[in-house]
Amino acid sequence: MSDSSAKWAALFDWDGVIIDSSSHHEESWERLAREIDRPLPEGHFQKSFGRKNEAIIPDILAWTTEPAEIRRLSLRKEALYREVVAERGVEALPGVRTWLERLRAAGIPCAIGSSTHRENIALSLGLIGLGEFFAAAVTSEDVKQGKPHPEVFLTAAARLGAEPTRCVVFEDAHVGIAAARAGGMKVVGVATTHPAEELTAADIVVRRLDELQVAQLAAWFA
């Protein structure tokens, strides 16, 4: 990253930033709840945005605090998610490909930094065909601390060989924006799961990534 003072790196959350998967995740939690005959607390899904299953199951759903059972339920939930994706398909959000093409043309390296499982991202990347744009992917399995801890983004930056302070994170969730801030990074809020006016902790907020121009973000590092 030292070849040019203007260079920076782009770190992308996955769900709600690259793909529109909220209905798939919500359905997979509902299927799991029916399967194990457990209730889903009101508002659970909104509270879980950006968090790892290892926090959602004990802290938000209050289903169990037993580590082995949390892991079993987490893996089952993700298997159900992949079933839903296979049934319904999944698409990149509008403007994503255009923005990734702009970044590639400008020589900006890109990585994924997500709380979702690697197998889920691999499946979706195959379906939407955007794998060529990402030099690295950091997923749930790669980190001990979930968002709002910055570990996922710090790890992604390291895999790109980028200084955290020269990274821009693209996030839709409050905990993800907090994670980026904790890592000393710039943040673009993407108003997909929350209204734009709620993403006040981001440096800039867009509804679609193709609203952005590379020069606009490069100016942060000039």
Side-chain angles (χ1 to χ4, degrees), residues 27-210:
E27 172 65 18
S28 62
W29 283 116
E30 288 171 4
R31 289 186 185 187
L32 179 61
R34 287 196 298 271
E35 190 172 281
I36 66 172
D37 196 24
R38 298 296 296 271
L40 286 168
E42 192 168 342
H44 76 94
F45 191 60
Q46 288 69 26
K47 291 173 189 166
S48 73
F49 287 145
R51 295 188 182 272
K52 285 167 62 103
N53 293 347
E54 289 78 6
I56 295 169
I57 291 166
D59 300 342
I60 296 173
L61 303 181
W63 281 352
T64 180
T65 56
E66 164 54 43
E69 183 65 358
I70 290 171
R71 175 164 174 75
R72 184 185 76 82
L73 293 174
S74 172
L75 291 174
R76 180 58 183 151
K77 183 266 169 187
E78 298 312 325
L80 289 166
Y81 167 81
R82 290 188 292 275
E83 284 181 14
V84 177
V85 169
E87 289 167 19
R88 299 181 180 179
V90 71
E91 293 183 355
L93 284 158
V96 166
R97 178 176 284 276
T98 297
W99 177 236
L100 291 173
E101 287 171 347
R102 287 176 191 165
L103 290 173
R104 182 167 63 182
I108 305 301
C110 297
I112 296 162
S114 173
S115 300
T116 199
H117 287 223
R118 183 167 297 278
E119 207 173 333
N120 295 359
I121 290 178
L123 173 64
S124 301
L125 266 180
L127 291 171
I128 63 177
L130 296 177
E132 65 190 285
F133 294 102
F134 298 103
V138 179
T139 64
S140 177
E141 295 90 339
D142 298 317
V143 296
K144 291 184 171 66
Q145 304 280 345
K147 301 171 188 177
H149 192 283
E151 183 183 3
V152 67
F153 292 132
L154 293 173
T155 305
R159 290 192 183 173
L160 292 180
E163 287 295 325
T165 54
R166 299 189 70 81
C167 290
V168 179
V169 169
F170 299 83
E171 258 288 357
D172 65 309
H174 295 301
V175 291
I177 292 172
R181 284 275 177 244
M185 302 168 181
K186 291 286 192 179
V187 191
V188 173
V190 186
T192 50
T193 54
H194 298 286
E197 57 270 18
E198 288 184 11
L199 302 180
T200 53
D203 292 288
I204 186 173
V205 179
V206 295
R207 286 173 176 79
R208 297 169 49 121
L209 290 176
D210 60 355

